[in-house]
Amino acid sequence: MLNEFWATAPVAYKVLVFSAMGLIAVGLVLSIVGNTSGNQGMALASLPVIGVGLLLHVGGLVVRGQQIRKTYKK
């Protein structure tokens, strides 16, 4: 079952996972660019972006857990 989860995963899970990865990546790039260029505003602006990405990641874990729980009951 775990090997086939991505193929049978709900669309909501896939959207949450890719959105989370994208936001975390954008936040990391903003943080690196802001810190290397000395732009404190950009470095601080990256923190909420990373935080939203982490929240979406947790949301994806919840969706996945619910889906797995539903399949165990069947």
Side-chain angles (χ1 to χ4, degrees):
M1 169 162 153
L2 292 177
N3 294 336
E4 302 171 0
F5 183 78
W6 188 256
T8 60
V11 176
Y13 174 72
K14 292 179 182 180
V15 168
L16 284 172
V17 167
F18 284 120
S19 300
M21 288 191 310
L23 284 173
I24 292 170
V26 167
L28 288 174
V29 168
L30 284 174
S31 178
I32 291 169
V33 170
N35 284 315
T36 57
S37 67
N39 188 346
Q40 193 68 21
M42 186 183 294
L44 286 175
S46 70
L47 296 177
V49 176
I50 294 171
V52 170
L54 291 174
L55 289 175
L56 287 177
H57 175 70
V58 170
L61 291 174
V62 169
V63 169
R64 181 175 181 177
Q66 289 175 347
Q67 182 69 23
I68 290 173
R69 209 171 298 122
K70 285 179 187 177
T71 58
Y72 279 151
K73 289 182 180 179
K74 290 182 180 179

